Amino acid sequence: MRMAGTALFCDDIRLEASGQTSLIGCYAGQLIVHHAWPVTLPKLAVMALVDAPRAAPPREIVLRIVLDPGDTLLFETRVEATRDEPSDTAELEESPDAIVRIGLNVVLGPLAIEQESRLRVRAVVDGAEIKLGSLKIVSAPPDEPG
């Protein structure tokens, strides 16, 4: 299995007392702005998920969030993974395709956006880049005369 991953974009990420994570106001590919440019978003959250083979988890992940145009780096963090040995090695032998999912939650804000843009999320896992996803930030279409 090769490394893979995804990014989920939303207005906020909340860690609940119950241990659950709540994603508030999720976006499906684009965020529509209903104001004139520039705009300031009070918050924009990203849940970045990286999947790796459980038998060979990554040693290091660098997460980057970039705003285009301009290739502006909004966020970068480096995480060194510690390898947790499975409690039951027989489980690994029975399931060679088992994965480990590493999640990183990022809340950006306030976030100034000057024009239509694209937010790109990338993970560099042990030196190899994985494209996790992007969010297009666009103007609302003008109201048509009725």
Side-chain angles (χ1 to χ4, degrees), residues 37-53:
W37 303 104
V39 296
T40 300
L41 303 176
K43 280 186 186 179
L44 186 62
V46 178
M47 175 183 271
L49 302 169
V50 174
D51 293 340

Side-chain angles (χ1 to χ4, degrees), residues 44-91:
L44 186 62
V46 178
M47 175 183 271
L49 302 169
V50 174
D51 293 340
R54 185 171 175 190
R59 292 178 301 281
E60 178 183 80
I61 298 172
V62 177
L63 181 69
R64 292 188 182 110
I65 302 175
V66 175
L67 185 67
D68 289 330
D71 205 28
T72 304
L73 181 65
L74 299 178
F75 179 85
E76 180 176 276
T77 191
R78 180 179 315 272
V79 177
E80 291 185 19
T82 57
R83 183 174 173 141
D84 291 333
E85 292 299 322
S87 58
D88 182 4
T89 55
E91 179 183 334

Side-chain angles (χ1 to χ4, degrees), residues 1-6 49-61 99-100 102 123-132:
M1 173 197 173
R2 64 181 185 86
M3 302 281 182
T6 193
L49 302 169
V50 174
D51 293 340
R54 185 171 175 190
R59 292 178 301 281
E60 178 183 80
I61 298 172
I99 63 167
V100 59
I102 299 125
V124 179
V125 181
D126 294 336
E129 184 179 75
I130 301 172
K131 295 178 180 179
L132 299 181

